[in-house]
Amino acid sequence: MQNNVRPETMQRINTIELANAFIEEQVKAVREQVGDKKVLLALSGGVDSSVVAALLIKAIGKQLVCVHVNHGLMRKGESEQVIEVFGKALDANLVYVDATDRFLDLLAGVSDPETKRKIIGAEFIKVFDEESAKLDGISFLAQGTIYPDILESIKQAEGKKAVKSHHNVGGLPEEMAMELVEPIKLLFKDEVRIVGDALGLPHNMVYRQPFPGPGLGVRCLGAITRDRLHALREADAILREEFEIAGLAGKVWQYFVAIPDIKSVGVKDDSRYEGWPAIIRAVNTTDAMTATVEEIPYPVLHKIVARITSEVDGINRVLFDLTPKPTGTIEWE
Ligand code: XMP
């Protein structure tokens, strides 16, 4: 097994050529490690697991089994893209599990953010466990661990306190005693992205903004309801579309919509219209420990307001969160 410390001499991967060399090296290493055995991967559709999937498909093809659990808290179109890219274009051995009802039933009435996180994390492991128990002859578990994850675990082992329990969906129980395959564990995020480019993954997948493991679950504030979650997903899709059009998508580190569990009085078609507010958050940061608010041009904001209030059922106001971190965290929960 490779060790967990990045050698000081390791060259920074900042060109496609270097990425290709890295891929070749890892393809060889993975083939040597797994032989003709099968490897399991929890494929969330995030950058890291997607790059690992593409790399392993190149190395061992159908010996890799990808399991994508849709917890019903994905953004609009994300699970569909996983099926499109991995199931169809790359012809992967993909198991797709739509567990939406399980998650939403368990979360019904739960309003505490940390409890929501714990439920989502634990249920994810349960679903993944159940699915992997149905598979035969799996000897290895692949993971999209990257170097900052390793540095973070070292910090946690030193006893530094976390503000939120950042449970990365995809974490697996320790009793799953399988040997790990972690081909990108010595890479930083920018390097992972270049490797993803070199592997030919779609741009929006490789340059995807960070998305919390519990997904829209911590953006549908308070107790999640299906109607508010639906409104959130649609409003968030509009925000992302308009940021793309305005050329802000690659410039702003993280941008999203959150919807609180409150209604205000509004008016539509000359009638009283009670609806939820959609809160827009758009922040820049280097390490997510502090963050500043991106200045969005008013015409862009006006267009987003007009689209969300006219296209999304149940939303009658749009608010823009001007709070830096601290005091606001990036997410609302
Ligand atoms: P906060 O809200 O703590 O967020 O300022 C900092 C960064 O972490 C992400 N985040 C999470 N990521 N599981 C995750 O995998 C979580 O439970 C979680 N909560 C926050 C957040 O999106 C931001 O990028």
Side-chain angles (χ1 to χ4, degrees):
M1 275 237 276
Q2 291 171 353
N3 86 46
N4 275 351
V5 180
R6 182 173 167 125
E8 271 175 29
T9 51
M10 185 169 154
Q11 197 172 2
R12 192 127 187 127
I13 299 171
N14 50 16
T15 63
I16 291 288
E17 290 68 35
L18 288 170
N20 281 329
F22 172 84
I23 291 164
E24 236 172 77
E25 203 178 276
Q26 286 305 318
V27 162
K28 214 168 131 229
V30 168
R31 283 182 185 152
E32 260 165 37
Q33 186 188 0
V34 309
D36 59 1
K37 302 270 176 22
K38 280 192 192 161
V39 181
L40 178 65
L41 170 73
L43 175 60
S44 68
V47 187
D48 306 331
S49 66
S50 298
V51 169
V52 169
L55 187 56
L56 295 192
I57 290 166
K58 198 174 167 73
I60 54 169
K62 301 260 181 187
Q63 282 167 254
L64 173 73
V65 185
C66 300
V67 176
H68 176 71
V69 177
N70 179 357
H71 50 23
L73 304 165
M74 307 288 282
R75 285 174 294 195
K76 191 171 180 176
E78 282 186 324
S79 282
E80 291 79 359
Q81 188 177 34
V82 168
I83 295 171
E84 200 53 47
V85 171
F86 293 99
K88 297 192 182 149
L90 294 176
D91 193 25
N93 210 340
L94 174 69
V95 179
Y96 171 71
V97 192
D98 184 356
T100 303
D101 287 340
R102 275 178 75 157
F103 280 84
L104 295 188
D105 288 350
L106 272 177
L107 288 163
V110 180
S111 56
D112 173 62
E114 289 301 285
T115 311
K116 284 163 71 176
R117 277 191 174 80
K118 286 198 182 95
I119 291 174
I120 296 166
E123 190 61 11
F124 183 89
I125 289 167
K126 219 165 137 195
V127 175
F128 188 80
D129 239 356
E130 285 171 20
E131 289 305 318
S132 44
K134 292 182 199 160
L135 302 166
D136 274 338
I138 302 280
S139 312
F140 293 87
L141 184 70
Q143 282 193 330
T145 314
I146 66 171
Y147 205 48
D149 299 333
I150 290 176
L151 298 176
E152 181 64 21
S153 351
I154 296 171
K155 254 203 291 181
Q156 277 176 12
E158 286 168 356
K160 304 219 168 85
K161 196 169 177 279
V163 177
K164 299 176 188 180
S165 60
H166 282 194
H167 184 104
N168 258 313
V169 168
L172 292 161
E174 277 165 20
E175 63 268 22
M176 284 189 79
M178 282 191 273
E179 196 182 319
L180 294 181
V181 179
E182 297 178 298
I184 58 171
K185 74 174 173 184
L186 296 184
L187 301 190
F188 287 101
K189 198 79 175 191
D190 54 324
E191 299 178 300
V192 176
R193 292 205 159 103
I194 295 174
V195 171
D197 276 339
L199 286 163
L201 287 173
H203 185 86
N204 71 341
M205 196 171 237
V206 173
Y207 289 88
R208 200 175 91 144
Q209 55 168 319
F211 186 55
L216 299 182
V218 288
R219 295 179 179 170
C220 190
L221 309 179
I224 299 166
T225 56
R226 286 171 196 254
D227 53 356
R228 200 155 45 90
L229 180 62
H230 178 72
L232 167 61
R233 183 173 283 121
E234 295 299 319
D236 185 72
I238 291 172
L239 177 76
R240 289 194 286 142
E241 222 175 280
E242 291 303 325
F243 265 44
E244 285 286 347
I245 293 169
L248 290 164
K251 198 173 153 242
V252 183
W253 195 79
Q254 203 170 10
Y255 49 95
F256 58 87
V257 170
I259 302 190
D261 189 13
I262 54 166
K263 280 191 171 176
S264 69
V265 175
V267 60
K268 194 177 188 181
D269 303 329
D270 294 330
S271 302
R272 182 181 170 100
Y273 172 41
E274 288 182 16
W276 304 293
I279 300 163
I280 298 175
R281 191 109 173 100
V283 296
N284 281 315
T285 176
T286 45
D287 59 3
M289 301 301 289
T290 62
T292 55
V293 173
E294 174 74 17
E295 294 199 3
I296 309 300
Y298 262 76
V300 177
L301 286 175
H302 282 307
K303 190 168 171 214
I304 292 167
V305 173
R307 281 198 60 194
I308 291 180
T309 50
S310 65
E311 293 175 34
V312 184
D313 271 351
I315 297 183
N316 64 357
R317 293 171 196 261
V318 179
L319 317 178
F320 186 69
D321 184 352
L322 278 169
T323 321
K325 176 180 180 177
T327 53
T329 49
I330 294 176
E331 302 291 342
W332 268 57
E333 288 192 333

